[in-house]
Every structure is written in C-alpha cells, then in structure tokens.
Amino acid sequence: MSSGTEATSGQERDSADLARFGYSQELKRSLGLGSSFAVAFSYISPSTGIFTLFALGLTTIGGVFIWTWPVVAIGQFLVALNFAEVSSHYPVAGSVFQWTKYMASRTYSWFTGWIYLFAGMLTVTAVVATLPLALIPALNGLGWHSLNAASLNTNLVIALITLVVITVLNIYGVKLVSIINNTGVVFEILGMFVFALVLMAFHNHQGFKVVTNSAGLPVNGSTFLAAMFMSLFVIYGFDTAATLAEETRDPRRAAPKAVLYSVIGAFIIGGVFLLGTLVAIPNMGVAVKNAWGPAQIIEANFSTPFATIYLLVVSAAIFVCCLSILAATIRLCFGMARDNQLPFSKPLAKVSPSLHTPVWSCIAVACIAAIPFWQYSGAGIIAIAATGMIYLSYFLGNIVIMRARVRGWPKTSAPFRLGRWGVLVNVVALIYGGAMLINFAWPRVASNPKPNQTSGLLHLNFLDGVPILWTVVIFIALIGAIYYLIVGRNKEFAPVLTPAEDDAPLAGSGAAPPA
C-alpha cells in the first residue's frame, strides 16, 4: 500500500474515531508526533519562563534556586503521566475541560473549563509580555537605542503588536503555526543547549559550586517555595498535545507520547541552560542586587554582536511560545463553544471552511488576553495569576480522574495506560498539586503581592490589601457563577458520548433539557 493511501486510511480512521464521540472532523488533521511534541514543548518553552522569572529565583535564594527545577519537573511529570493516560481515552479538543466532562457532573466540568480557559488567556498575556524582555536588548544591540527596556510603555507596545501578529497567524491555520513552531523549537533546543555548553566551557565565573551559593540570602522552606515560581511558571502546558488531538494523526498514541516527551525535553534543556547561566554570572552580589535576568548575564559575557544574535534567537523562541499558547487556548474555547457551554457559543464554534480554524474563537481569546494590559505592571505580575489558575485547573482535573479511578476507571484498555500504578501516580500528583496551590495562594511580596505592594496597578481601596491571585481567581469564578446560574445551566449542552467499546461516561449523558 502506498504511503498516500495509508495516510488517507489513517485520516479516515481518526475521523471515524472522533465521530464516535459525537463530533465531525472540522479542524484539519495535519500534525504528526513530532509536530505535536513541538507544540507542547513550545508551550512550556524553557527560554520564555526563565527570561520572565529568573530574577525572582536569583534574588530570593541565589544560585540555590536551581534545585527548584527538578522538584517541579518531577511533580509535573506525575501530573503529565496522569493526563497522558486520560488523553489516550479521550482524544478530543479541550484537555482538562473534556476530561472532566466525561468523568464528572456537568456543573463541575463547566467550572473547570471556565477556570482553565481564563488561565490560558492570562498565560497568553504573560508570554507576549515576556517577549520584550529579550527583544528590546536585542534591538538595542542592532542600534535601536531609543527603545528603553525599563519602560512599561515600550514593553506594552511590543506585547500588543505580538498579540496581533500571533492572532493573525493562528487564524490562517494550524499547519502554518506548526511550520513556524517546528522551526522555532529546533532553534530553541539547539540554541539553549549549545549556548549553555559554551557558557560552562568558556565563561564559568562561579564554578559549579554556584548551585550551593545563596549569595548570603536565607535558604529555608519559605524562601525555597517562593523561589519555585520560575520553575512553576515554566513547566506547564504539556497537555497542549492533548488539546490539539483533533488536529493530530493517530492521537490516542501520539498525544500521550508528546505530553510526556515535552516535559522530559523541557527539563533537560531548561536545566542545562539554567546551570550555564548561573555559572556565567561574573559577580553574584551585583547580579542579586540588581535583579539580573539572562539578558544581563548574556550581555556581560559576550560582545555586542554575539549577544544580539543570541537574544534574537531567544526572542524567536518566545514568539513561537506565544503562538503555541494562543493555539491551545483557542482550541479550548472552540471545544467549550462547540458543546454550547460559553456565551456566544454559535459564532465561537464556527470553523472557517477555507481556513479550517475557528476564526471568532481566535479573535475572542486575543481580545480578552489584551484586557490585563489596561493596567500593565510587567510580565511577572501577570505570570503569577496565570500560573496559579493553571495549577488550580490541573488540580480540579486530577480530583475527577482520581474519583473515576476509585470507581473502577479505566475498565477498558487504551494505547497508553498506567495500569496498577495509576492510583499511586494520581494520589502523589494530587498531593503535589495541592501543596503548590497553597504555595501560590500564600500572601508574599515575591509571588502573590497585594496591589499596594506593586507599581502600575490600579489601587482600589477595598482591594488594596487583598493578594492579587485571590482577587483574580475570585473575580473570574464569580463572573462564571453568575453566568452559569442565570444562563448557562439552562442551555442545552451537547450529549456526552464515547465509543461503544470504551468506558461509558461516568457523568451520564450530560445533555440538559431545552431552555
């Protein structure tokens, strides 16, 4: 049989599998395992998260903060194992929302999807706000000295331009995004890894003992947990491979592999880059005092031309990360709208017949992601809220999966399965996730400040003393509750269907009577 015939046969098989979940093949199924991995890796994007919050870790416990990296990577890999098994059973667009839909009540799944959707949109905001941190120093190196890296206005303009560009690219299709994404991933992996080796070989000012050098800062449980925020912000989004399942060939096998490979790849590449960057700090005291990030370390070690080239490579990697995160969030929005679970679901679920993309979902996600720029106070503040809400949605998803396991799920086999290890992996993932949620919610200036402890945020008297993450989560949950109670619960949702040979949905049909 020719490869063309095999590809057609595979497409038909995947489309038929999707139809058994009650959905027609509207999105274009053009991603293989490599592209699926690349999209998930780009969402994680070690360079993006490290550039955003490296200074937070360094100024909290010095070089010791590198030890937060393996702790978070192990915890997230357990979560990824859990999600990989579920994605093998439910290869549909929507990730955590879809999984809770099959395993929990309609109300629970709706709120999980609602929280996850806004977490994704805040993450889009945070990553487009990160791009200027690398791009402005690179442009300065090219002679654009009028650009001020410390200016919030300059950062804001570049972030908004980036948001517009990635929205247009996503409208024109996942295949275009995939081509750009695959190229960017190669540059990020080779660039970060090779560059880190160069730093360790030729610019090793601190020695490898830097991993025990706290620069005189106190290292205890509290400071270690605060320093974790860079690592926590980096290693999530691996479920993107499952979110794009309807655009992936053979998703029951490819998606779980891509989910796990993306975590492993990010851990190795990011860990090597972190070590290379830390050993290359010329003076630890100066770096801590001035809150240096990777851009300052690069500029301190290399000539302007070389530093500029590398910062441009990093900027490209961050741009690709922006593309991937927006693509994943758009698919979640589309998946919820297709099930009639969002306001204005009909236009949000409409797929362009020529572009094979949900155009209005693209536009809606981008517009909402732009709202936090109204009171812009830097990428770090946005990253705090985004990361906290992502971990909350992951935790809500893991609770439901654990409940399903206790009730005997899965009774049927899938290409990827944990078998008898499923319950143990799930329990440890819940313990880890719960501990991290407490860590996120804990009020502290470094990771969950109050508005009066920041600059640039609108200070409202009644919210001035409330930690930012608390305000964001309560506001989004409250808006969701009002909508759901008044409108959402009376809408007719799509039935919850699974293939006949798979486990029946634990949530029942999920269809509501017509309003």
Side-chain angles (χ1 to χ4, degrees), residues 1-12:
M1 182 181 290
S2 68
S3 58
T5 305
E6 290 175 354
T8 301
S9 176
Q11 294 269 7
E12 292 174 349

Side-chain angles (χ1 to χ4, degrees), residues 257-348:
K257 292 177 182 178
V259 166
L260 299 178
Y261 292 167
S262 65
V263 178
I264 295 170
F267 168 67
I268 295 171
I269 300 300
V272 172
F273 180 74
L274 275 175
L275 181 59
T277 306
L278 283 172
V279 301
I281 295 174
N283 186 303
M284 181 65 77
V286 171
V288 170
K289 180 181 178 181
N290 295 297
W292 277 19
Q296 289 75 32
I297 297 170
I298 291 167
E299 292 173 330
N301 282 281
F302 295 103
S303 63
T304 299
F306 188 92
T308 299
I309 292 171
Y310 187 72
L311 287 170
L312 286 172
V313 172
V314 172
S315 298
I318 297 174
F319 178 79
V320 168
C321 174
C322 298
L323 266 179
S324 297
I325 293 175
L326 182 60
T329 308
I330 289 166
R331 270 60 187 178
L332 173 60
C333 180
F334 166 75
M336 292 188 71
R338 183 175 57 182
D339 284 356
N340 197 28
Q341 304 228 8
L342 293 176
F344 310 107
S345 284
K346 188 173 181 179
L348 292 175

Side-chain angles (χ1 to χ4, degrees), residues 43 83 94-99 109-123 236-240 243 328-329 332 336 386 389-394 396 476:
Y43 193 125
F83 286 179
S95 180
V96 175
F97 158 68
Q98 291 286 6
W99 304 334
S109 65
W110 187 88
F111 271 100
T112 302
W114 181 262
I115 294 293
Y116 193 42
L117 178 60
F118 279 88
M121 289 187 283
L122 278 173
T123 303
Y236 71 79
F238 40 82
D239 57 304
T240 301
T243 299
T329 308
L332 173 60
M336 292 188 71
M389 289 187 61
I390 287 285
Y391 278 70
L392 174 59
S393 57
Y394 280 8
L396 292 173
I476 290 174

